[in-house]
Amino acid sequence: MGHREDLLEGAKRCLLEKGYARTTARDIVAASGANLASIGYHYGSKDALMRQAIIASSEEWGAGVAQVPAGDEAVPADAEPLERFAVVWDLFLQRIATEREFIAAQVEVLGLLPRDAALREAIGEVLPEGGEGLVAIFEGVPDTEVDPEAARVVGSFYQALLTGLMVQSLLTPDSMPTGRDLAAALRRVTAGEVLGKAE
């Protein structure tokens, strides 16, 4: 790897170990083996590098969920939509439960968005692509098969659920819903049976 890639990998490590706001340029240099001047040369600033690190980390995390392994965790090819919804959410929830440093960094960044216009703009630029990726994961299709309206509407719905689950996992990790719980909630809401008897 070159200095640019080394710096990004170092910034991603710092993101998990120290968090977004507490990472210094010297931390990144120590983690990457690069020199201080190379941050400015390759990224313009430490903040620009950290913005790239949070985006790259998020993309990698999502790609890891998208690569559903064969076997017990695989989504059955003939699964009904709500069954697939439940199974895929369980895959996300497993990652959320076991990768707390990543989740903490994501939630930290959410809190910084109102006061950091450059961070808000950087994440806003990739948000539609993230929604498209989530729709593709849940539907079991390549990103290229997701139309823009589905990415906008359904992708936003998945992003809202995912963000909420990340926050909830840090606040009340012992009372997280399962994929089946989420599917049951969706079924009850859409059937107008929220206050009715649980199935």
Side-chain angles (χ1 to χ4, degrees):
M1 287 192 298
H3 280 258
R4 183 177 177 82
E5 294 80 12
D6 291 340
L7 285 166
L8 183 58
E9 289 304 313
K12 289 191 295 187
R13 278 197 300 278
C14 290
L15 186 65
L16 298 181
E17 294 168 7
K18 299 179 85 60
Y20 187 91
R22 292 184 57 212
T23 295
T24 67
R26 292 191 185 283
D27 293 330
I28 297 169
V29 166
S32 67
N35 59 60
L36 202 55
S38 62
I39 293 176
Y41 178 78
H42 290 292
Y43 290 93
S45 69
K46 184 270 291 186
D47 291 339
L49 172 53
M50 288 303 292
R51 288 192 293 272
Q52 187 59 44
I54 193 73
I55 290 167
S57 296
S58 300
E59 289 171 348
E60 290 167 11
W61 192 83
V65 176
Q67 296 170 354
V68 178
D72 294 340
E73 293 183 79
V75 180
D78 60 347
E80 294 292 323
L82 275 177
E83 179 186 359
R84 181 175 182 83
F85 179 90
V87 171
V88 176
W89 273 117
D90 277 334
L91 294 172
F92 274 102
L93 289 161
Q94 287 169 18
R95 297 286 302 269
I96 288 171
T98 57
E99 299 179 34
R100 293 183 61 78
E101 294 86 2
F102 171 80
I103 301 305
Q106 292 289 308
V107 173
E108 176 194 358
V109 166
L110 292 175
L112 298 173
L113 292 176
R115 295 177 187 87
D116 189 330
L119 180 60
R120 193 167 58 246
E121 181 180 347
I123 291 177
E125 286 177 2
V126 298
L127 207 58
E129 185 179 323
E132 180 180 276
L134 285 170
V135 172
I137 291 169
F138 276 91
E139 294 301 313
V141 300
D143 291 5
T144 54
E145 292 186 24
V146 179
D147 69 81
E149 187 62 7
R152 185 184 72 80
V153 176
V154 183
S156 292
F157 170 69
Y158 289 145
Q159 285 171 328
L161 270 176
L162 182 57
T163 301
L165 289 166
M166 287 180 171
V167 173
Q168 186 176 348
S169 76
L170 296 177
L171 294 172
T172 55
D174 295 332
S175 61
M176 292 291 287
T178 64
R180 188 170 299 281
D181 292 336
L182 295 171
L186 185 59
R187 183 185 304 111
R188 289 173 73 155
V189 168
T190 57
E193 298 174 355
V194 172
L195 303 179
K197 184 178 178 183
E199 294 180 9

